[in-house]
Amino acid sequence: MDTEGNVLQCDLCQKEFQFSSLLILHTQTHSGEKPFQCSLCTNAFKSNGDLTKHKRTHSGEKPFQCPLCTKSFKSNGKLTEHNRTHIGDKPFQCSLCAKVFKSNSELTKHKRTHSGEKPFQCPLCTNSFKTNDKLTKHDKTQSGCHIY
């Protein structure tokens, strides 16, 4: 909200925000701006929080501990997703077949089985894949295309 209590709106997509800081972060999704650069690799991020989470891939730090088992996670979101396995919660449902999932990302991957979408393209050949994991594991030995 601005100083007069009005809701703030994105000029490009009309999404509404209560805080100017969230609107500023949101506008970076339209511009592609990523001002937070990792000092250990070439990756850049739209927020300092995203950079902090990314740095844990380098350090191996997993500060979010499950209170019900020994597993720990790099982000609170991954811990929340993990906790659903203990209680059997699957709040994300496919509108096409009613199958349920513990995370929105699992639902998104599942929907590709209906659509046939393969958004992850190999930069070295014409193959494309439903998930980034499949692209990473891709090995097309006929043309010498190796990505690991």
Side-chain angles (χ1 to χ4, degrees), residues 108-132:
T108 299
K109 288 176 191 175
H110 164 77
K111 284 182 176 178
R112 292 183 187 131
T113 64
H114 297 298
S115 69
E117 179 189 15
K118 294 181 176 182
F120 299 94
Q121 173 86 38
C122 176
L124 302 175
C125 71
T126 59
N127 286 347
S128 57
F129 304 89
K130 291 180 184 177
T131 66
N132 192 41

Side-chain angles (χ1 to χ4, degrees), residues 78 105-106 109 112 119-121 128-139 147-148:
K78 290 293 181 187
S105 62
E106 286 182 351
K109 288 176 191 175
R112 292 183 187 131
F120 299 94
Q121 173 86 38
S128 57
F129 304 89
K130 291 180 184 177
T131 66
N132 192 41
D133 291 349
K134 299 282 187 203
L135 171 59
T136 301
K137 293 176 184 171
H138 165 62
D139 176 2
I147 298 182
Y148 292 100

Side-chain angles (χ1 to χ4, degrees), residues 72-130:
S72 20
F73 301 88
K74 294 177 184 174
S75 72
N76 192 41
K78 290 293 181 187
L79 172 59
T80 299
E81 184 180 314
H82 164 77
N83 284 336
R84 291 183 182 132
T85 62
H86 291 296
I87 60 174
D89 186 23
K90 295 184 177 183
F92 301 93
Q93 185 172 32
C94 177
S95 59
L96 298 171
C97 71
K99 193 170 180 179
V100 291
F101 301 89
K102 68 178 180 176
S103 71
N104 192 41
S105 62
E106 286 182 351
L107 173 60
T108 299
K109 288 176 191 175
H110 164 77
K111 284 182 176 178
R112 292 183 187 131
T113 64
H114 297 298
S115 69
E117 179 189 15
K118 294 181 176 182
F120 299 94
Q121 173 86 38
C122 176
L124 302 175
C125 71
T126 59
N127 286 347
S128 57
F129 304 89
K130 291 180 184 177

Side-chain angles (χ1 to χ4, degrees), residues 54-81:
H54 164 76
K55 284 182 176 179
R56 292 183 186 130
T57 63
H58 297 297
S59 70
E61 179 189 11
K62 295 181 177 182
F64 300 93
Q65 174 96 31
C66 177
L68 301 173
C69 70
T70 59
K71 291 190 176 186
S72 20
F73 301 88
K74 294 177 184 174
S75 72
N76 192 41
K78 290 293 181 187
L79 172 59
T80 299
E81 184 180 314

Side-chain angles (χ1 to χ4, degrees), residues 8 16-29:
L8 303 167
E16 296 181 343
F17 299 89
Q18 291 184 342
F19 304 102
S20 60
S21 59
L22 294 177
L23 174 59
I24 291 166
L25 279 176
H26 168 77
T27 57
Q28 292 171 350
T29 63

